[in-house]
Amino acid sequence: NAGVMQNPRHLVRRRGQEARLRCSPMKGHSHVYWYRQLPEEGLKFMVYLQKENIIDESGMPKERFSAEFPKEGPSILRIQQVVRGDSAAYFCASSPPGVESDTQYFGPGTRLTVL
Amino acid sequence: EDQVTQSPEALRLQEGESSSLNCSYTVSGLRGLFWYRQDPGKGPEFLFTLYSAGEEKEKERLKATLTKKESFLHITAPKPEDSATYLCAVQVYGGATNKLIFGTGTLLAVQP
């Protein structure tokens, strides 16, 4: 059973460009979460999605950031007009539906560098 | 505000030297406490979930315990391959969210 997959693993963007990060959850998992890890800081929650629904976006910056989890295909975290402060590791996690939805399994992350 | 604090920030052990990592939490209502291991350049790897005070979980050289205010990760006779950052996280009651609130981790180095 393949784990959570993220791509690309490394992404370099210049200031003002757009970054698109993709996440495919584990098979059978319908909950997806995005976290950001800044250098020398802990993991910070950004957004929680189920298929076609945003459940909790309390950790998302108000501007430039958006996330989706369509009915078909991977979840996408989109950052518009990137700035240097967006440089970080972005991790996706997934969990199964139902009573076992508490435990989240993480992907390998996408490391975004903004030049 | 819900908060998780881990100590120490870093710990250096000799192979075979047992020790404990601490995770203290201040939350409105604990739904679950999670331990993860993170190796450099990789994503967190799930270790344990604890739900109620007094609960214990074990896996190889690791044992996690939970009280009403903190959790401990005990490492018995560690080996160099146990070197990693250990992360503690909590889930709290309230709303439909499953979000995890993480501490900043303990960086463990086990020397042969």
Side-chain angles (χ1 to χ4, degrees):
Chain A
N1 188 9
V4 177
M5 297 173 64
Q6 291 188 249
N7 66 79
R9 295 293 308 278
H10 299 274
L11 182 61
V12 179
R13 285 287 179 265
R14 296 190 181 279
R15 280 179 296 171
Q17 292 185 319
E18 178 179 289
R20 282 192 177 223
L21 288 61
R22 293 174 182 76
C23 168
S24 295
M26 288 177 69
K27 187 176 180 181
H29 286 196
S30 56
H31 302 221
V32 165
Y33 314 81
W34 286 93
Y35 293 82
R36 177 165 64 174
Q37 189 170 41
L38 292 165
E40 309 303 324
E41 290 189 21
L43 280 156
K44 301 292 185 188
F45 168 79
M46 299 181 74
V47 63
Y48 163 33
L49 311 105
Q50 296 178 18
K51 286 284 187 182
E52 300 184 283
N53 283 303
I54 296 175
I55 307 302
D56 180 0
E57 57 182 346
S58 58
M60 285 279 270
K62 299 298 180 191
E63 298 178 350
R64 302 187 297 108
F65 286 71
S66 62
E68 62 176 6
F69 188 18
K71 187 176 180 181
E72 300 292 337
S75 175
I76 306 287
L77 179 67
R78 182 183 178 203
I79 312 172
Q80 295 178 290
Q81 300 174 347
V82 295
V83 301
R84 289 222 173 104
D86 296 333
S87 294
Y90 292 82
F91 291 96
C92 170
S94 72
S95 66
V99 294
E100 296 190 1
S101 65
D102 289 349
T103 301
Q104 299 175 22
Y105 298 88
F106 283 78
T110 293
R111 277 140 189 90
L112 172 66
T113 302
V114 180
L115 302 176
Chain B
E1 183 184 349
D2 299 318
Q3 202 165 1
V4 178
T5 304
Q6 291 189 247
S7 63
E9 289 185 11
L11 181 63
R12 188 185 299 251
L13 299 174
Q14 291 295 124
E15 185 172 2
E17 179 187 2
S18 302
S19 187
S20 296
L21 312 183
N22 178 263
C23 171
S24 62
Y25 58 90
T26 306
V27 298
S28 49
L30 182 70
R31 189 170 136 196
L33 186 140
F34 302 79
W35 283 98
Y36 287 85
R37 168 193 171 129
Q38 187 174 23
D39 292 296
K42 297 191 176 181
E45 175 189 346
F46 171 71
L47 293 173
F48 304 109
T49 308
L50 301 165
Y51 290 106
S52 56
E55 189 175 0
E56 298 183 353
K57 294 270 180 77
E58 279 189 75
K59 179 181 178 180
E60 296 180 352
R61 295 177 292 282
L62 301 177
K63 183 167 90 170
T65 61
L66 181 65
T67 72
K68 288 185 178 179
K69 293 183 178 180
E70 59 192 347
S71 176
F72 291 93
L73 185 65
H74 307 279
I75 304 176
T76 302
K79 298 182 177 182
E81 52 262 43
D82 295 322
S83 298
T85 296
Y86 289 86
L87 302 171
C88 171
V90 299
Q91 273 180 349
V92 300
Y93 285 108
T97 188
N98 282 350
K99 72 178 181 184
L100 292 172
I101 302 167
F102 279 89
T104 51
T106 294
L107 176 60
L108 174 66
V110 182
Q111 295 183 315

